Amino acid sequence: MVFFGNPVHHVGMYVGGGYFIEAPYTGSYVRISKLSSRNDIAGVRRYAWVPRVGAPKGAKSSVSSALSSVR
């Protein structure tokens, strides 16, 4: 994770090669941006990757059952 601003007001996910994924502002599309285009990097944090086995708790087993729960 990469954090921007002081105080921090923006967060992105580093994907390698000098790029990160961000949603630049509310209503905008998620995009891949160059890290070098930002000059307000506040810090970075690495999180351990943990594989998930099976669906998350409470996940619906099908699209139709998921849709029926919101009708």
Side-chain angles (χ1 to χ4, degrees):
M1 304 303 290
V2 289
F3 302 91
F4 303 94
N6 184 13
V8 172
H9 63 270
H10 190 63
V11 179
M13 184 185 318
Y14 186 74
V15 293
Y19 291 89
F20 71 103
I21 297 173
E22 67 172 334
Y25 53 87
T26 302
S28 177
Y29 292 103
V30 172
R31 66 184 181 195
I32 298 174
S33 301
K34 285 186 176 183
L35 197 54
S36 63
S37 69
R38 300 291 300 242
N39 61 359
D40 60 341
I41 297 173
V44 297
R45 170 73 158 85
R46 180 180 218 163
Y47 292 92
W49 182 80
V50 179
R52 177 180 290 172
V53 178
K57 285 185 176 182
K60 301 294 181 181
S61 60
S62 70
V63 172
S64 59
S65 64
L67 289 174
S68 67
S69 68
V70 295
R71 291 182 185 158

